[in-house]
Coordinates of all heavy atoms in Angstrom, one line a residue:
M16 N -7.9 -60.0 -110.6 CA -9.3 -60.1 -110.1 C -9.7 -58.8 -109.5 O -9.0 -58.2 -108.7 CB -9.4 -61.3 -109.1 CG -10.9 -61.5 -108.6 SD -10.9 -62.9 -107.5 CE -12.6 -62.7 -106.8
A17 N -10.9 -58.3 -109.9 CA -11.3 -57.1 -109.3 C -11.8 -57.2 -107.8 O -12.2 -58.2 -107.4 CB -12.5 -56.5 -110.1
N18 N -11.7 -56.1 -107.1 CA -12.2 -56.1 -105.7 C -13.7 -55.9 -105.9 O -14.2 -54.9 -106.4 CB -11.6 -54.9 -104.9 CG -10.1 -55.1 -104.7 OD1 -9.7 -56.3 -104.6 ND2 -9.4 -54.1 -104.7
H19 N -14.5 -56.8 -105.2 CA -15.9 -56.8 -105.3 C -16.5 -56.1 -104.0 O -15.9 -56.2 -102.9 CB -16.5 -58.1 -105.4 CG -16.2 -58.8 -106.7 ND1 -16.8 -58.4 -107.9 CD2 -15.4 -59.7 -107.0 CE1 -16.3 -59.1 -108.9 NE2 -15.4 -59.9 -108.4
V20 N -17.5 -55.4 -104.1 CA -18.3 -54.8 -103.0 C -19.6 -55.4 -103.0 O -20.3 -55.5 -104.1 CB -18.4 -53.3 -103.0 CG1 -19.2 -52.8 -101.9 CG2 -17.0 -52.7 -102.9
Y21 N -20.1 -56.0 -102.0 CA -21.3 -56.7 -101.9 C -22.4 -55.9 -101.1 O -22.0 -55.3 -100.1 CB -21.3 -58.1 -101.3 CG -20.3 -59.0 -102.2 CD1 -19.1 -59.1 -101.9 CD2 -20.9 -59.8 -103.1 CE1 -18.2 -59.9 -102.7 CE2 -20.0 -60.7 -104.0 CZ -18.8 -60.7 -103.6 OH -17.9 -61.5 -104.4
K22 N -23.6 -56.1 -101.4 CA -24.7 -55.6 -100.5 C -25.5 -56.8 -100.2 O -25.6 -57.8 -101.0 CB -25.6 -54.5 -101.2 CG -26.8 -54.0 -100.5 CD -27.4 -52.8 -101.1 CE -28.5 -52.4 -100.3 NZ -28.1 -51.7 -99.0
S23 N -26.2 -56.9 -99.0 CA -27.0 -58.0 -98.7 C -28.4 -57.6 -98.4 O -28.6 -56.4 -97.8 CB -26.5 -58.9 -97.6 OG -26.4 -58.1 -96.3
I24 N -29.4 -58.5 -98.7 CA -30.8 -58.2 -98.3 C -31.3 -59.5 -97.6 O -30.7 -60.5 -97.7 CB -31.5 -57.9 -99.6 CG1 -31.5 -59.1 -100.6 CG2 -31.2 -56.6 -100.2 CD1 -32.4 -58.9 -101.7
E25 N -32.3 -59.3 -96.8 CA -32.9 -60.4 -96.1 C -34.3 -60.7 -96.8 O -35.0 -59.9 -97.1 CB -33.2 -60.0 -94.7 CG -33.6 -61.2 -93.8 CD -33.7 -60.8 -92.3 OE1 -34.8 -60.2 -91.9 OE2 -32.9 -61.1 -91.6
L26 N -34.4 -62.0 -97.0 CA -35.6 -62.5 -97.7 C -36.2 -63.7 -96.8 O -35.5 -64.4 -96.1 CB -35.3 -63.2 -99.0 CG -34.6 -62.3 -100.1 CD1 -34.2 -63.1 -101.3 CD2 -35.5 -61.1 -100.5
T27 N -37.5 -63.9 -96.9 CA -38.1 -65.0 -96.2 C -39.0 -65.7 -97.3 O -39.8 -65.1 -97.9 CB -39.0 -64.6 -95.1 OG1 -38.2 -64.0 -94.1 CG2 -39.7 -65.9 -94.4
G28 N -38.7 -67.0 -97.5 CA -39.5 -67.8 -98.5 C -40.2 -68.9 -97.8 O -39.9 -69.3 -96.7
S29 N -41.4 -69.3 -98.4 CA -42.1 -70.3 -97.7 C -42.5 -71.4 -98.7 O -42.5 -71.2 -99.9 CB -43.4 -69.8 -97.0 OG -44.2 -69.2 -98.2
S30 N -42.8 -72.6 -98.2 CA -43.2 -73.8 -99.1 C -43.9 -74.7 -98.3 O -43.5 -75.0 -97.1 CB -41.9 -74.4 -99.7 OG -42.2 -75.6 -100.4
Q31 N -44.9 -75.4 -98.9 CA -45.5 -76.5 -98.2 C -44.7 -77.8 -98.4 O -45.1 -78.8 -97.8 CB -47.0 -76.6 -98.8 CG -47.8 -75.5 -98.3 CD -49.2 -75.7 -98.7 OE1 -49.5 -76.0 -99.8 NE2 -50.2 -75.4 -97.8
T32 N -43.8 -77.8 -99.2 CA -43.0 -79.1 -99.6 C -41.8 -79.3 -98.8 O -41.6 -80.4 -98.2 CB -42.6 -79.0 -101.1 OG1 -43.8 -78.7 -101.8 CG2 -42.1 -80.2 -101.6
S33 N -40.8 -78.2 -98.8 CA -39.5 -78.4 -98.2 C -38.8 -77.2 -97.9 O -39.2 -76.1 -98.4 CB -38.7 -79.3 -99.1 OG -38.3 -78.6 -100.2
I34 N -37.8 -77.3 -97.2 CA -37.0 -76.1 -96.8 C -36.2 -75.6 -98.0 O -36.1 -74.5 -98.4 CB -35.9 -76.5 -95.7 CG1 -36.5 -76.7 -94.4 CG2 -34.8 -75.4 -95.6 CD1 -35.7 -77.4 -93.3
E35 N -35.8 -76.6 -98.9 CA -35.1 -76.2 -100.1 C -36.0 -75.5 -101.1 O -35.6 -74.4 -101.7 CB -34.5 -77.5 -100.8 CG -33.7 -77.3 -102.0 CD -33.1 -78.6 -102.6 OE1 -33.2 -79.6 -102.0 OE2 -32.6 -78.4 -103.7
D36 N -37.2 -75.9 -101.2 CA -38.2 -75.2 -102.0 C -38.5 -73.7 -101.4 O -38.6 -72.9 -102.2 CB -39.5 -75.9 -102.1 CG -39.4 -77.1 -103.2 OD1 -38.5 -77.2 -103.8 OD2 -40.4 -77.8 -103.1
A37 N -38.5 -73.6 -100.2 CA -38.7 -72.3 -99.6 C -37.6 -71.4 -99.9 O -37.7 -70.2 -100.3 CB -38.8 -72.4 -98.1
V38 N -36.3 -72.0 -99.9 CA -35.1 -71.1 -100.3 C -35.2 -70.8 -101.8 O -35.1 -69.6 -102.2 CB -33.8 -71.9 -100.0 CG1 -32.7 -71.1 -100.7 CG2 -33.6 -72.0 -98.5
N39 N -35.5 -71.8 -102.6 CA -35.6 -71.5 -104.1 C -36.8 -70.5 -104.5 O -36.6 -69.7 -105.2 CB -35.8 -72.8 -104.8 CG -34.6 -73.6 -105.0 OD1 -33.5 -73.0 -105.3 ND2 -34.6 -74.8 -104.7
N40 N -37.8 -70.6 -103.7 CA -39.0 -69.6 -103.9 C -38.5 -68.2 -103.7 O -38.9 -67.3 -104.4 CB -40.2 -70.0 -103.1 CG -40.9 -71.3 -103.6 OD1 -40.7 -71.7 -104.7 ND2 -41.6 -71.9 -102.7
A41 N -37.8 -68.1 -102.5 CA -37.3 -66.7 -102.2 C -36.4 -66.1 -103.3 O -36.4 -65.0 -103.8 CB -36.7 -66.7 -100.8
I42 N -35.4 -67.0 -103.6 CA -34.3 -66.6 -104.6 C -35.0 -66.4 -106.0 O -34.7 -65.3 -106.6 CB -33.2 -67.5 -104.6 CG1 -32.4 -67.4 -103.3 CG2 -32.3 -67.3 -105.8 CD1 -31.3 -68.5 -103.1
N43 N -35.8 -67.2 -106.4 CA -36.4 -67.1 -107.7 C -37.3 -65.8 -107.8 O -37.3 -65.1 -108.8 CB -37.3 -68.3 -108.1 CG -36.5 -69.5 -108.3 OD1 -35.3 -69.4 -108.7 ND2 -37.1 -70.7 -108.2
R44 N -38.0 -65.5 -106.8 CA -38.8 -64.3 -106.7 C -37.9 -63.1 -106.8 O -38.1 -62.0 -107.4 CB -39.8 -64.2 -105.5 CG -40.6 -62.9 -105.4 CD -41.3 -62.7 -106.6 NE -42.1 -61.4 -106.5 CZ -41.6 -60.2 -106.9 NH1 -40.3 -60.2 -107.4 NH2 -42.3 -59.0 -106.8
A45 N -36.8 -63.0 -105.9 CA -35.9 -61.9 -105.9 C -35.2 -61.7 -107.1 O -34.9 -60.5 -107.5 CB -34.9 -62.1 -104.7
A46 N -34.9 -62.8 -107.9 CA -34.2 -62.7 -109.1 C -35.0 -61.8 -110.2 O -34.4 -61.4 -111.2 CB -33.8 -64.1 -109.7
K47 N -36.2 -61.7 -110.0 CA -37.0 -60.8 -110.9 C -36.6 -59.4 -110.9 O -36.9 -58.7 -111.8 CB -38.5 -61.1 -110.7 CG -39.0 -62.4 -111.0 CD -40.5 -62.6 -110.7 CE -40.9 -64.0 -111.0 NZ -42.4 -64.2 -110.8
T48 N -36.1 -58.9 -109.8 CA -35.8 -57.5 -109.6 C -34.3 -57.2 -109.0 O -34.0 -56.1 -109.1 CB -36.9 -56.9 -108.6 OG1 -36.8 -57.5 -107.4 CG2 -38.2 -56.9 -109.2
V49 N -33.7 -58.2 -108.6 CA -32.4 -58.0 -108.1 C -31.3 -58.7 -109.0 O -31.5 -59.9 -109.2 CB -32.3 -58.6 -106.6 CG1 -30.8 -58.4 -106.0 CG2 -33.2 -58.0 -105.6
R50 N -30.4 -57.9 -109.3 CA -29.3 -58.5 -110.3 C -28.1 -58.8 -109.5 O -27.8 -58.3 -108.4 CB -29.0 -57.4 -111.3 CG -30.1 -57.2 -112.3 CD -29.7 -56.2 -113.4 NE -29.2 -54.9 -112.9 CZ -30.1 -53.9 -112.5 NH1 -31.3 -54.0 -112.6 NH2 -29.6 -52.7 -112.0
N51 N -27.3 -59.7 -110.0 CA -25.9 -60.0 -109.6 C -25.9 -60.8 -108.3 O -24.9 -60.5 -107.5 CB -25.0 -58.7 -109.5 CG -24.9 -58.0 -110.9 OD1 -24.8 -58.7 -111.9 ND2 -25.1 -56.8 -110.9
M52 N -26.9 -61.5 -108.0 CA -26.9 -62.3 -106.7 C -25.8 -63.3 -106.8 O -25.7 -64.0 -107.8 CB -28.3 -62.9 -106.4 CG -29.4 -62.0 -106.1 SD -30.9 -62.8 -105.6 CE -31.4 -63.4 -107.1
R53 N -25.2 -63.4 -105.7 CA -23.9 -64.3 -105.7 C -23.9 -65.4 -104.6 O -23.4 -66.4 -104.7 CB -22.6 -63.5 -105.5 CG -22.4 -62.5 -106.6 CD -22.2 -63.1 -107.9 NE -21.8 -62.1 -108.9 CZ -22.4 -62.1 -110.1 NH1 -23.3 -63.0 -110.4 NH2 -22.2 -61.0 -111.0
W54 N -24.4 -65.1 -103.4 CA -24.5 -66.0 -102.3 C -25.6 -65.9 -101.4 O -26.3 -64.9 -101.5 CB -23.1 -65.9 -101.5 CG -22.9 -64.5 -101.0 CD1 -22.2 -63.6 -101.7 CD2 -23.4 -63.8 -99.8 NE1 -22.1 -62.3 -101.0 CE2 -22.9 -62.6 -99.8 CE3 -24.2 -64.3 -98.8 CZ2 -23.2 -61.7 -98.8 CZ3 -24.5 -63.4 -97.8 CH2 -24.0 -62.1 -97.8
F55 N -25.9 -66.8 -100.6 CA -26.8 -66.8 -99.5 C -26.5 -67.5 -98.2 O -25.7 -68.5 -98.4 CB -28.3 -67.3 -100.0 CG -28.4 -68.7 -100.1 CD1 -28.9 -69.5 -99.1 CD2 -28.1 -69.4 -101.4 CE1 -29.0 -70.9 -99.3 CE2 -28.1 -70.7 -101.6 CZ -28.7 -71.5 -100.5
V56 N -27.1 -67.1 -97.2 CA -26.8 -67.7 -95.8 C -28.2 -67.8 -95.2 O -28.9 -66.9 -95.1 CB -25.9 -66.9 -94.9 CG1 -25.8 -67.5 -93.6 CG2 -24.6 -66.7 -95.6
I57 N -28.5 -69.1 -94.7 CA -29.8 -69.3 -94.1 C -29.6 -68.8 -92.6 O -28.7 -69.3 -91.9 CB -30.2 -70.8 -94.1 CG1 -30.5 -71.1 -95.5 CG2 -31.5 -71.0 -93.2 CD1 -30.8 -72.6 -95.7
T58 N -30.4 -67.9 -92.2 CA -30.3 -67.4 -90.9 C -31.4 -67.9 -89.9 O -31.2 -67.8 -88.7 CB -30.4 -65.8 -90.9 OG1 -31.6 -65.4 -91.5 CG2 -29.2 -65.2 -91.7
E59 N -32.4 -68.4 -90.4 CA -33.5 -68.9 -89.6 C -34.4 -69.9 -90.4 O -34.6 -69.7 -91.5 CB -34.5 -67.7 -89.0 CG -35.5 -68.1 -88.0 CD -36.2 -66.9 -87.5 OE1 -36.0 -65.9 -88.0 OE2 -37.0 -67.2 -86.6
T60 N -34.8 -71.0 -89.7 CA -35.7 -71.9 -90.3 C -36.8 -72.2 -89.3 O -36.5 -72.4 -88.1 CB -35.0 -73.3 -90.6 OG1 -33.8 -73.1 -91.3 CG2 -35.9 -74.2 -91.3
R61 N -38.1 -72.1 -89.8 CA -39.2 -72.3 -89.0 C -40.3 -72.9 -89.7 O -40.2 -72.9 -91.0 CB -39.6 -71.0 -88.2 CG -40.0 -69.9 -89.1 CD -40.3 -68.6 -88.4 NE -40.5 -67.5 -89.3 CZ -39.6 -66.8 -89.9 NH1 -38.3 -67.1 -89.6 NH2 -39.7 -65.9 -90.8
G62 N -41.4 -73.3 -89.1 CA -42.5 -74.0 -89.8 C -43.8 -73.7 -89.0 O -43.8 -73.2 -87.9
H63 N -44.8 -74.1 -89.8 CA -46.2 -74.0 -89.2 C -46.8 -75.4 -89.1 O -46.7 -76.2 -90.0 CB -47.0 -73.1 -90.2 CG -48.5 -73.0 -89.8 ND1 -49.4 -73.7 -90.4 CD2 -49.0 -72.3 -88.7 CE1 -50.6 -73.4 -89.8 NE2 -50.4 -72.6 -88.8
I64 N -47.4 -75.6 -87.9 CA -47.9 -77.0 -87.7 C -49.4 -76.8 -87.6 O -50.0 -75.9 -87.1 CB -47.5 -77.4 -86.3 CG1 -46.0 -77.6 -86.3 CG2 -48.2 -78.8 -85.9 CD1 -45.4 -77.8 -84.9
D65 N -50.1 -77.8 -88.3 CA -51.6 -77.8 -88.4 C -52.1 -79.2 -88.1 O -51.6 -80.1 -88.8 CB -52.0 -77.2 -89.7 CG -53.5 -77.1 -89.8 OD1 -54.2 -77.0 -88.8 OD2 -54.0 -77.0 -90.9
E66 N -52.8 -79.4 -87.2 CA -53.3 -80.6 -86.8 C -52.2 -81.8 -86.6 O -52.3 -82.9 -87.1 CB -54.4 -81.2 -87.8 CG -55.6 -80.3 -87.8 CD -56.7 -80.7 -88.8 OE1 -56.6 -81.9 -89.3 OE2 -57.6 -79.9 -89.1
G67 N -51.2 -81.3 -86.0 CA -50.1 -82.3 -85.6 C -49.2 -82.6 -86.8 O -48.3 -83.5 -86.6
K68 N -49.3 -81.9 -87.9 CA -48.4 -82.1 -89.0 C -47.8 -80.8 -89.5 O -48.4 -79.8 -89.4 CB -49.1 -82.8 -90.1 CG -49.7 -84.1 -89.8 CD -50.5 -84.7 -91.0 CE -51.0 -86.1 -90.5 NZ -51.7 -86.7 -91.6
V69 N -46.6 -80.9 -90.1 CA -46.0 -79.7 -90.7 C -46.8 -79.3 -92.0 O -47.0 -80.0 -92.8 CB -44.5 -80.0 -91.2 CG1 -43.9 -78.8 -91.9 CG2 -43.7 -80.4 -90.0
N70 N -47.3 -78.1 -91.8 CA -48.2 -77.5 -92.9 C -47.3 -76.7 -93.9 O -47.6 -76.8 -95.0 CB -49.2 -76.5 -92.2 CG -50.2 -76.0 -93.2 OD1 -50.0 -74.9 -93.8 ND2 -51.2 -76.8 -93.6
H71 N -46.3 -75.9 -93.4 CA -45.4 -75.3 -94.4 C -44.1 -74.9 -93.7 O -44.1 -74.8 -92.5 CB -46.1 -74.1 -95.1 CG -46.3 -72.9 -94.3 ND1 -47.5 -72.7 -93.6 CD2 -45.5 -71.9 -94.1 CE1 -47.4 -71.5 -93.0 NE2 -46.2 -71.0 -93.2
W72 N -43.2 -74.6 -94.5 CA -41.8 -74.2 -94.0 C -41.6 -72.7 -94.4 O -42.1 -72.3 -95.4 CB -40.6 -75.0 -94.7 CG -40.7 -76.4 -94.4 CD1 -41.2 -77.4 -95.2 CD2 -40.1 -77.2 -93.3 NE1 -41.1 -78.6 -94.5 CE2 -40.3 -78.5 -93.4 CE3 -39.3 -76.7 -92.1 CZ2 -40.0 -79.4 -92.5 CZ3 -38.9 -77.6 -91.3 CH2 -39.3 -78.9 -91.4
Q73 N -40.9 -72.0 -93.4 CA -40.5 -70.7 -93.8 C -38.9 -70.6 -93.4 O -38.5 -71.1 -92.4 CB -41.2 -69.6 -92.8 CG -42.6 -69.4 -93.2 CD -43.1 -68.2 -92.4 OE1 -42.8 -68.0 -91.2 NE2 -44.0 -67.5 -92.8
V74 N -38.2 -70.0 -94.4 CA -36.8 -70.0 -94.3 C -36.3 -68.5 -94.5 O -36.8 -67.9 -95.5 CB -36.1 -70.8 -95.3 CG1 -34.6 -70.7 -95.2 CG2 -36.5 -72.2 -95.1
T75 N -35.7 -67.9 -93.6 CA -35.1 -66.5 -93.7 C -33.7 -66.6 -94.2 O -33.0 -67.5 -93.5 CB -35.2 -65.7 -92.4 OG1 -36.7 -65.8 -92.1 CG2 -34.7 -64.4 -92.6
L76 N -33.2 -65.9 -95.1 CA -31.9 -66.0 -95.6 C -31.4 -64.6 -96.0 O -32.2 -63.6 -96.3 CB -31.9 -66.9 -96.9 CG -32.8 -66.6 -98.0 CD1 -32.1 -66.9 -99.3 CD2 -33.9 -67.7 -97.8
K77 N -30.1 -64.3 -95.8 CA -29.4 -63.2 -96.3 C -28.9 -63.5 -97.7 O -28.3 -64.5 -97.9 CB -28.3 -62.7 -95.4 CG -28.9 -62.1 -94.2 CD -27.7 -61.4 -93.3 CE -28.3 -60.8 -92.1 NZ -27.3 -60.1 -91.4
V78 N -29.1 -62.6 -98.6 CA -28.6 -62.9 -100.0 C -27.7 -61.7 -100.3 O -28.0 -60.5 -100.2 CB -29.9 -62.9 -101.0 CG1 -29.3 -63.0 -102.5 CG2 -30.8 -64.0 -100.8
G79 N -26.5 -62.1 -100.8 CA -25.6 -61.0 -101.2 C -25.4 -60.9 -102.6 O -25.6 -61.8 -103.4
F80 N -25.3 -59.6 -103.1 CA -25.2 -59.4 -104.6 C -24.1 -58.4 -104.7 O -23.9 -57.5 -103.9 CB -26.5 -59.0 -105.3 CG -27.1 -57.7 -104.6 CD1 -27.0 -56.5 -105.1 CD2 -27.9 -57.8 -103.5 CE1 -27.6 -55.3 -104.5 CE2 -28.5 -56.8 -102.9 CZ -28.4 -55.5 -103.5
T81 N -23.5 -58.4 -105.9 CA -22.4 -57.4 -106.2 C -23.0 -56.1 -106.7 O -24.1 -56.1 -107.4 CB -21.4 -57.9 -107.2 OG1 -22.1 -58.3 -108.5 CG2 -20.6 -59.0 -106.7
L82 N -22.4 -55.0 -106.3 CA -22.9 -53.7 -106.7 C -22.3 -53.5 -108.1 O -21.2 -53.8 -108.5 CB -22.4 -52.6 -105.8 CG -22.9 -52.7 -104.3 CD1 -22.4 -51.6 -103.4 CD2 -24.5 -52.6 -104.3
E83 N -23.2 -52.7 -108.9 CA -22.8 -52.4 -110.3 C -21.8 -51.2 -110.3 O -22.0 -50.4 -109.4 CB -24.0 -52.2 -111.2 CG -24.8 -53.5 -111.4 CD -26.0 -53.3 -112.1 OE1 -26.5 -52.1 -112.4 OE2 -26.7 -54.2 -112.6
D84 N -21.1 -51.1 -111.3 CA -20.2 -49.9 -111.5 C -21.0 -48.7 -111.9 O -22.0 -48.8 -112.5 CB -19.2 -50.1 -112.5 CG -18.2 -51.2 -112.0 OD1 -17.9 -51.3 -110.8 OD2 -17.5 -51.9 -112.8

């Protein structure tokens, strides 16, 4: 097995539906320009309240990807 070197970036995704959708929105958008993504860690979860109800979720995550040779 080769020794891998990873770089990480921070992303924030949002969704009016769920935390999971917020994560998927961030990763799906990043996948358009970032190759070799391998893992993520959620570092912060927050939301917006409007008229006493959750209006949308925001999730900040670190995403790791392998560097190319």
Side-chain angles (χ1 to χ4, degrees):
M16 181 175 170
N18 294 324
H19 295 285
V20 174
Y21 298 92
K22 181 170 178 72
S23 64
I24 56 174
E25 186 175 84
L26 304 171
T27 300
S29 63
S30 170
Q31 291 183 318
T32 307
S33 68
I34 293 169
E35 185 175 350
D36 279 351
V38 170
N39 282 318
N40 289 341
I42 291 173
N43 289 337
R44 175 58 185 89
K47 294 180 180 180
T48 58
V49 179
R50 293 182 302 277
N51 303 319
M52 290 188 290
R53 302 289 183 229
W54 54 264
F55 72 92
V56 176
I57 295 173
T58 59
E59 186 175 5
T60 305
R61 59 189 173 275
H63 177 254
I64 300 169
D65 189 19
E66 297 182 12
K68 296 181 182 179
V69 175
N70 184 266
H71 72 268
W72 296 94
Q73 285 186 328
V74 179
T75 300
L76 48 142
K77 287 190 176 185
V78 175
F80 58 96
T81 54
L82 297 176
E83 295 179 347
D84 291 333

